């Protein structure tokens, strides 16, 4: 091989030497540099993915803590009102707001048990209420009782008096099972 190289002219030696250098550079590129750069790109994408997963985990952790605080506050509200009963609350509230005479029906629904909590519900129908009394009643339900929720609400204007409304709603109360 050395003898073949020695027989070449100076220009041929430069061309062959340049070819060897280019070939060595191509081999080095495909054998070392290209796989290194590809691995580096994959590592950066994995790091980005992990950072996104970490951010999602942090958001979920904050949401979990917020929900834990909400449940703890709800448990404190339930503990502060042992023996709460939904039907007497509805009767007292309608009496206090002066709409007892507009109360057409109160129909208790079967309690449901979920995850250590008992949910009581009552369907209430009132007729011929002005809008102001509807708002006051909904405000009282939302703010006066422990953990009350309006599950459904239907408001219809009266056909004989458009200034009066008929109201049908389902109100539920949540209590720890056994309280």
């Amino acid at each position: 091989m050395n003898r073949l190289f020695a027989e070449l002219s100076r220009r041929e030696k430069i061309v062959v030497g340049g070819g060897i250098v280019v070939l060595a550079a191509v081999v080095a590129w495909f054998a070392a540099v290209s796989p290194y750069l590809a691995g580096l790109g994959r590592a950066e994408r994995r790091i980005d993915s992990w950072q996104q997963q970490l951010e999602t985990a942090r958001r979920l952790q904050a949401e979990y803590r917020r929900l834990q605080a909400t449940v703890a506050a709800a448990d404190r509200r339930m503990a502060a009102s042992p023996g709460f009963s939904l039907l007497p609350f509805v009767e007292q509230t309608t009496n206090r707001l002066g709409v007892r005479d507009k109360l057409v029906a109160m129909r208790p629904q079967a309690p449901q048990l979920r995850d250590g909590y008992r949910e009581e519900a009552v369907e209430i129908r009132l007729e011929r209420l002005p809008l102001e009394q509807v708002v006051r009643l909904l405000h009282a339900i939302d703010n006066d009782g422990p953990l009350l929720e309006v599950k459904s609400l239907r408001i219809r204007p009266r056909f004989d008096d458009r200034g009066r409304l008929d109201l049908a709603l389902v109100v539920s109360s949540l209590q720890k099972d056994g309280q």
Side-chain angles (χ1 to χ4, degrees), residues 124-136:
I124 307 164
R125 287 188 335 155
L126 297 116
E127 292 181 347
R128 303 187 55 78
L129 288 172
L131 179 60
E132 175 192 348
Q133 286 182 330
V134 171
V135 171
R136 285 181 29 220

Side-chain angles (χ1 to χ4, degrees), residues 124-126 129 134 137 153-155 165-169:
I124 307 164
R125 287 188 335 155
L126 297 116
L129 288 172
V134 171
L137 176 65
L153 174 65
R154 258 187 353 260
I155 301 175
L165 303 168
D166 289 344
L167 180 70
L169 68 152

